[in-house]
Amino acid sequence: VFVTHSIYESVFLSTRVIVMAARPGRILREVAIDEPYPRNDQFRVSQKFAMYARDLQLLLAEASAAGETQD
């Protein structure tokens, strides 16, 4: 288990990312990062990397919006 607040770090290092929402803390979604190891700098600038990062950013925005409506 590795905990980070960095979307880019999670995409580069993980095989799956668990996106959590706050208040109350809960799992919002699990995203599989289905890319071979070892990952290198070419992966960091690839379309797939950008797609994973974008998808995670959208999930975090969704989690944030859901948390605001519960307050």
Side-chain angles (χ1 to χ4, degrees):
V1 174
F2 180 75
V3 178
T4 183
H5 290 97
S6 170
I7 291 171
Y8 305 112
E9 186 175 56
S10 66
V11 172
F12 190 73
L13 296 175
S14 304
T15 56
R16 68 183 182 143
V17 176
I18 307 297
V19 178
M20 294 191 68
R23 293 185 217 124
R26 66 194 180 284
I27 294 174
L28 183 66
R29 185 100 26 93
E30 178 178 339
V31 177
I33 309 295
D34 190 24
E35 297 299 322
Y37 277 101
R39 295 181 184 151
N40 56 29
D41 288 336
Q42 289 298 92
F43 177 61
R44 286 184 198 265
V45 296
S46 71
Q47 229 12 57
K48 284 189 171 187
F49 185 91
M51 180 197 69
Y52 286 120
R54 184 199 65 226
D55 291 349
L56 290 172
Q57 181 63 48
L58 291 172
L59 286 172
L60 287 172
E62 178 185 324
S64 179
E68 289 174 2
T69 60
Q70 291 180 2
D71 288 339

